[in-house]
Amino acid sequence: MPLLVTGSVGIDTVRTPFGVSENCLGGSAIYFSMAASFFSSVRLVAVVGPDCPFDLSRTFAGKDVDLQGVEVRAGSRTFRWAGSYHGPMGEAITDKVELNVLAEHPPQVPAGYKDSRYVFLANTAPALQQKLLEQIDKPSFVAADTMNCWIRDHLEDLKRLLQRIDALVLNDGEARQLTSEANLTKAAKQILQMGPAIVIIKKGEHGSMMCDKDGGHFHLPGFPTGEVKDPTGAGDSFAGALMGYLAEQDRTDLEALKTAIAYGTVTASFTVEDFSTQRLASLTRADIDERLEALRKLTQF
Amino acid sequence: MPLLVTGSVGIDTVRTPFGVSENCLGGSAIYFSMAASFFSSVRLVAVVGPDCPFDLSRTFAGKDVDLQGVEVRAGSRTFRWAGSYHGPMGEAITDKVELNVLAEHPPQVPAGYKDSRYVFLANTAPALQQKLLEQIDKPSFVAADTMNCWIRDHLEDLKRLLQRIDALVLNDGEARQLTSEANLTKAAKQILQMGPAIVIIKKGEHGSMMCDKDGGHFHLPGFPTGEVKDPTGAGDSFAGALMGYLAEQDRTDLEALKTAIAYGTVTASFTVEDFSTQRLASLTRADIDERLEALRKLTQF
């Protein structure tokens, strides 16, 4: 089943204890698409400026990612982000951000994409996420990501969006912020009451948890990798593999979701092993499947 | 197989967002013994002062815990701890501590306990842990806990102890402190190089991880409980159930360790549901087994 993603394409500068990667390819839609493409065909909807130095057709060469939905907007500039990670690298510190094209109107969804069944709305203003969603005819499964600034400054928009999507994917700090509830199990239940049938909470190196409206639960630790060079894109590649697997299987029941989260976990564990999309670019589905089996062994008792 | 534990018996005052429990029963050896007794007979070695207001024979009535090793030391006073938890209650803040009897010489291990095969040295000065260990004839499996102050102020003693034990159980912050390594997978490997064949890192609500010298790994999330009233004793009851299960099975291979960690996880998840040992006191092995199966369902894919 074709999977549509809307999100950012960015020019990143990332500093970690392992080095600096200047003006490298980044953005939620990039990490998402690369991860999802191991499982499903991907339709990428995003906007860049004419200053974008990356040849995306080369980036995605050999991968099943349709770039028809990438608009190069004349007179605008590409999103730029500079961030750094310290100590256990649990959280990025934003050193500088230029929203540029992201602060403008959202891209147009190409007519040929309107039949997309699986849709992921990567993190952006919830009103824009809703506008993008309205361009899809009859999606069967819609998931969205969000972040602290939208919860703080656009809560009403976000609550409206939550009534239109099937799954919310967010991190633990955001779940606590959205619900004013410290206990994540209780926070997840509160989020379900806001609309989505499924909530997936990402906990960085501590893995993730999922709760659904039917009382289904799933908890998985992170895949332990001794090589964490750059956590950028971990969450987006987690979501990409997760949605890619669901689209591949065309199933969103509890068992499919569990396996999808496990695929998200291992794919994200590759992403962080190198800067930017370098590790993802050299990855194969066989590598991912092998690590999935390793994760199974690591966690089963 | 009989399991011996040495640790503290304390008079605790605990404040959490859910209330205050004043002058209640606490201490590592209490939580450990209560948890371990669901699996194995326990020999408790500890010292209190004549001011100890608790009737331990009543506390452990109906449980297989031998109290012969509890010394009531004339002229001394019982260990007292006052602590509080805030927000997500991840870490206790010590408001007041009176070491009292814990600052004196360690208890004598009764002659009848010297044949103990499984031994747990709960958190205290590593030199004292070693003195207690030397009183056991031929233990087959020795595990120890430690904490930040010993790592900071008694590192050489701790390193000596690490060469005499089979397993170290500590929390994530302590593992990072002991190794100056932020990545927990790398930290675990470094700890293995210091002596023990097994290291178990507790990550609070995020569960635990285990690594052994043969390359065995195990990662398990915490059991999600919506009812966290008082986290005191979670780590000690985790260790108690873990060691109790190993002693019951008289096996310490990787498969046994995995199940032991799962039992530790679910037992600790009961402990935090009420103040002091109240939840543990009303618990049955059937409750624990039922939650173990729930944990299996929650984590398997």
Side-chain angles (χ1 to χ4, degrees), chain A residues 38-290:
Chain A
F38 292 108
F39 302 90
S40 163
S41 62
V42 180
R43 296 163 167 182
L44 200 171
V45 176
V47 202
V48 296
D51 62 329
C52 181
F54 311 112
D55 179 354
L56 296 184
S57 61
R58 199 168 207 174
T59 302
F60 289 106
K63 297 188 191 293
D64 193 1
V65 178
D66 189 318
L67 300 171
Q68 220 193 112
V70 179
E71 175 192 344
V72 182
R73 189 170 293 169
S76 192
R77 278 171 59 79
T78 306
F79 167 62
R80 285 171 189 259
W81 179 75
S84 52
Y85 297 86
H86 308 271
M89 302 197 286
E91 221 162 329
I93 293 168
T94 293
D95 300 317
K96 197 177 171 191
V97 65
E98 293 177 36
L99 286 177
N100 296 332
V101 77
L102 295 190
E104 302 168 9
H105 63 91
Q108 197 66 31
V109 172
Y113 287 6
K114 288 184 186 293
D115 64 349
S116 298
R117 295 271 313 282
Y118 287 78
V119 176
F120 188 75
L121 307 164
N123 170 46
T124 188
L128 293 191
Q129 289 174 307
Q130 185 142 349
K131 268 188 197 163
L132 283 155
L133 179 56
E134 282 161 3
Q135 298 179 50
I136 316 296
D137 283 340
K138 264 193 185 170
S140 57
F141 189 81
V142 181
D145 194 355
T146 193
M147 73 182 283
N148 51 4
C149 58
W150 315 121
I151 298 171
R152 193 184 57 222
D153 302 328
H154 294 74
L155 187 58
E156 290 314 307
D157 287 349
L158 179 59
K159 285 188 173 172
R160 262 188 296 276
L161 179 74
L162 289 178
Q163 296 182 359
R164 301 284 302 273
I165 62 174
D166 300 289
L168 181 67
V169 181
L170 75 179
N171 74 33
D172 47 356
E174 291 155 2
R176 288 182 169 127
Q177 186 190 358
L178 179 55
T179 59
S180 305
E181 171 58 59
N183 181 300
L184 289 179
T185 302
K186 287 185 181 171
K189 282 187 187 159
Q190 279 194 33
I191 293 170
L192 293 177
Q193 284 165 5
M194 296 177 187
I198 295 158
V199 57
I200 296 168
I201 300 178
K202 300 173 288 180
K203 303 187 294 176
E205 64 164 330
H206 300 300
S208 58
M209 58 182 278
M210 189 266 297
C211 298
D212 71 27
K213 277 202 165 156
D214 301 326
H217 288 262
F218 184 54
H219 288 247
L220 196 64
F223 185 86
T225 171
E227 289 305 325
V228 181
K229 274 195 185 165
D230 173 11
T232 310
D236 299 312
S237 44
F238 171 87
L242 185 156
M243 289 293 289
Y245 177 78
L246 295 177
E248 178 192 54
Q249 300 292 313
D250 194 17
R251 278 172 54 201
T252 58
D253 58 280
L254 183 58
E255 289 313 307
L257 281 163
K258 287 179 174 184
T259 307
I261 288 170
Y263 270 120
T265 299
V266 297
T267 306
S269 78
F270 284 113
T271 302
V272 302
E273 289 180 355
D274 209 340
F275 283 94
S276 184
T277 57
Q278 286 178 58
R279 188 68 187 89
L280 280 179
S282 68
L283 206 60
T284 66
R285 173 73 182 255
D287 295 330
I288 295 173
D289 282 332
E290 191 184 325

Side-chain angles (χ1 to χ4, degrees), chain A residues 87-88 176 182-183 185-186 203 205-206 217-221 224-226 228 258 262 296-301, chain B residues 87-88 176 182-183 185-186 203 205-206 217-221 224-226 228 258 262 296-301:
Chain A
R176 288 182 169 127
N183 181 300
T185 302
K186 287 185 181 171
K203 303 187 294 176
E205 64 164 330
H206 300 300
H217 288 262
F218 184 54
H219 288 247
L220 196 64
T225 171
V228 181
K258 287 179 174 184
R296 212 187 290 275
K297 270 196 195 150
L298 273 175
T299 55
Q300 317 293 278
F301 64 90
Chain B
R176 289 182 167 128
N183 181 299
T185 302
K186 286 186 181 170
K203 304 189 290 178
E205 64 164 330
H206 299 300
H217 288 264
F218 184 55
H219 288 248
L220 197 63
T225 171
V228 181
K258 286 178 175 184
R296 210 188 292 272
K297 270 196 195 148
L298 273 175
T299 56
Q300 317 292 278
F301 64 90

Side-chain angles (χ1 to χ4, degrees), chain B residues 106-122:
Chain B
Q108 196 66 30
V109 173
Y113 286 7
K114 288 181 185 296
D115 64 349
S116 299
R117 296 270 313 284
Y118 287 77
V119 176
F120 188 75
L121 307 165

Side-chain angles (χ1 to χ4, degrees), chain B residues 175-193:
Chain B
R176 289 182 167 128
Q177 186 189 0
L178 179 55
T179 59
S180 305
E181 172 56 57
N183 181 299
L184 288 180
T185 302
K186 286 186 181 170
K189 281 187 187 157
Q190 279 194 35
I191 293 171
L192 293 176
Q193 284 165 4

